[in-house]
Structures are given as C-alpha cells and as structure tokens.
Amino acid sequence: MPGGKFKGRQMNSNRSQNKSLGIVGFGAFGQLAAFHLGQHFEISAYDPSADVAKVAKKLGVRLSSMHSVSQSDVVLISAPVASFERVVSEIAVACKPGALIVDVGSVKVVPSEIMRRRLPNHVDIIATHPLFGPQSAATGIKGLKIAVCPIQGRQHARLAAFLRKTLGLTVIITTPEDHDQEAAVVQGLTHLIAKVLLRMGPLPTRMTTKSFDLLSEAISMVQHDAPEVFEAIEKANPYAETVRRQFFDLAASLSVELEAAID
C-alpha cells in the first residue's frame, strides 16, 4: 500500500481513452486513491514533496504542476485543512468548465464552504469523506464506507454509482453538517481515546481480553495517521469541541462517583 509498498501491476490497455484524474496532494491517501483508480483514469498528481516520485512511478502516475493537474476532468483534493483554501484558490483559476472537483478530507462543513465560495460556477463540486485510510484498507476497499455530500452540479449520482458499482464501496449520501455532527463522535472520540491510551503505554499485550484486543486494533488503525489528520478532526470540525467537552465532563463525573463509592 502507500509509502513505497505498491506492487507493480498491469495497467488498463485502454487507459489513454479514460477520463483524466488530477490528484492534488500525493501523500498516503492520494497514493491509496491512485492505486484503486489507476485502471479507470489517466492519473496525474501534484505534490511539493520530492519524496513521492518513486511511488508515483510504480503507480504509473505522472507528476506535474498544480496548474496542469487542475485542468483534469476530475480533480481530487487531498490536502490538509490548513492549506485547503490556498489550494482551492489555485485550482479555481485553472479548472475547466464541466470538471468535477472532489475533496476527501475528514471534515466537511469548512471545506465545503470554501469550495462553494472559491470555485467557479461552471464546475461540479462534491465533498466526500472515505471512512477508511491506508491502514483499514490494507486488505482492500470493497464494502468500506464513503460519505458523499453534493455541493454544486448534478454529477453526484454518477459518482455515487461509480463508487458503489465499480469500487464496491458503501455510499452514504449526506450533508456536510450531518457528516460533521456524526464524525465528531465517531472519529473525534476514537482519535481522542487513542491519543490518551497511547500516552499511557506501553499497553499490555499478554493477558488481554477480546474487548481489549478490539480496542488495541482500533488504536493501531489511527496511531500512524499524520498529525494534521488529528488536528482536522478535533479542531476543524465545528461540532468536535462540544462532544469532547461532554466526554471529559462525563468521565470526570464518573470519577467522582467512583471516589464517593470507595469512601
């Protein structure tokens, strides 16, 4: 999988006839996307890091400029929230009429607002969140979930059909607001608990229960995520703070109850 571990594979002989896909941000998820979409699109990618050249070559992905990549039929934005508005602004001046602009970030309200405000009216915009990453997709993506938020245009139905029928994903059509409300609990608490338990480590590995093994497995799926992923989940999601405060308040309340019972 990502990080230089992709195996060589035979490319689609009709690839030159496929639509073009430009990936902006060729990190771990951009590479994962290229791995699964390589037989369906002619892929180019932009990333300021020189470290991605080797894996790009293995995947048959052409590295190019931001301007060139932004002129693709489909532009996939895999950039951190911190640089998202700047990236979208650069795409806006180069993207062609009728193009489909898709983002894959962990939060949806803020990126959706930026794309709606910055991108021209002549493109379609869909905010998505693949509810998996390189770790959870290590054995394949069939059956995994992806949230799809239509923002502008009508191509969301076609995209959803492609994701469902061709890639085998479970598609959840939702809004940016509903997504972030649920993600604040689903992702926010998972990453938060993982951070706390990792700081308590090393965790036991010998006398463990099935439930603890499952908890350890959940931690292992997120502990190697880039720091900006945790930052986005906990700080860029407008609903995360409320969930986080509720969790800590309830934990503190439970601690008080336990201390009272001991006394």
Side-chain angles (χ1 to χ4, degrees):
M1 301 309 292
K5 298 181 182 178
F6 292 105
K7 294 181 180 180
R9 63 172 183 234
Q10 184 177 357
M11 295 299 175
N12 187 345
S13 60
N14 295 322
R15 201 172 172 203
S16 61
Q17 301 174 14
N18 293 343
K19 282 192 171 185
S20 57
L21 168 66
I23 301 177
V24 179
F26 204 57
F29 195 87
Q31 295 168 22
L32 180 67
F35 178 78
H36 289 284
L37 296 173
Q39 294 187 1
H40 308 286
F41 294 91
E42 183 70 27
I43 302 179
S44 62
Y46 167 77
D47 195 290
S49 172
D51 297 335
V52 301
K54 187 175 181 180
V55 67
K57 184 177 181 179
K58 286 185 178 181
L59 291 169
V61 173
R62 176 176 57 87
L63 294 178
S64 189
S65 66
M66 168 77 87
H67 185 86
S68 176
V69 168
S70 299
Q71 293 181 318
S72 303
D73 298 318
V74 181
V75 180
L76 187 151
I77 308 173
S78 182
V81 173
S83 60
F84 192 80
E85 185 156 9
R86 175 184 59 78
V87 168
V88 172
S89 297
E90 292 187 41
I91 292 171
V93 300
C95 59
K96 63 185 183 181
L100 172 60
I101 314 296
V102 181
D103 92 297
V104 293
S106 299
V107 293
K108 296 274 69 81
V109 169
V110 173
S112 296
E113 186 276 329
I114 291 173
M115 290 191 292
R116 187 184 290 113
R117 174 164 47 85
R118 289 290 188 179
L119 292 171
N121 294 327
H122 60 60
V123 300
D124 281 37
I125 306 169
I126 303 175
T128 77
H129 179 199
L131 298 164
F132 55 88
Q135 295 292 327
S136 51
T139 59
I141 63 173
K142 187 174 182 180
L144 298 180
K145 299 176 182 179
I146 182 169
V148 173
C149 306
I151 304 300
Q152 178 174 293
R154 301 180 179 179
Q155 293 193 53
H156 61 276
R158 183 182 301 176
L159 175 64
F162 171 78
L163 296 171
R164 187 183 301 114
K165 296 177 181 178
T166 304
L167 299 185
L169 294 172
T170 298
V171 178
I172 303 167
I173 304 294
T174 186
T175 65
E177 291 75 19
D178 285 348
H179 169 277
D180 280 7
Q181 285 181 346
E182 292 195 40
V185 177
V186 174
Q187 284 196 303
L189 289 185
T190 300
H191 282 74
L192 189 66
I193 292 170
K195 285 284 187 183
V196 172
L197 290 179
L198 285 170
R199 291 184 181 185
M200 292 177 64
L203 299 175
T205 58
R206 187 165 62 98
M207 288 187 292
T208 62
T209 61
K210 181 62 176 177
S211 58
F212 187 84
D213 288 340
L214 291 172
L215 184 59
S216 297
E217 183 181 352
I219 293 172
S220 70
M221 287 184 178
V222 301
Q223 71 178 107
H224 299 299
D225 285 350
E228 55 263 26
V229 174
F230 181 74
E231 289 287 316
I233 289 170
E234 295 295 345
K235 294 184 178 181
N237 186 325
Y239 305 100
E241 183 179 0
T242 299
V243 171
R244 189 167 60 249
R245 288 183 180 277
Q246 181 184 22
F247 175 79
F248 286 133
D249 288 346
L250 290 172
S253 176
L254 182 58
S255 178
V256 171
E257 290 177 20
L258 289 172
E259 290 173 6
I262 293 172
D263 294 339

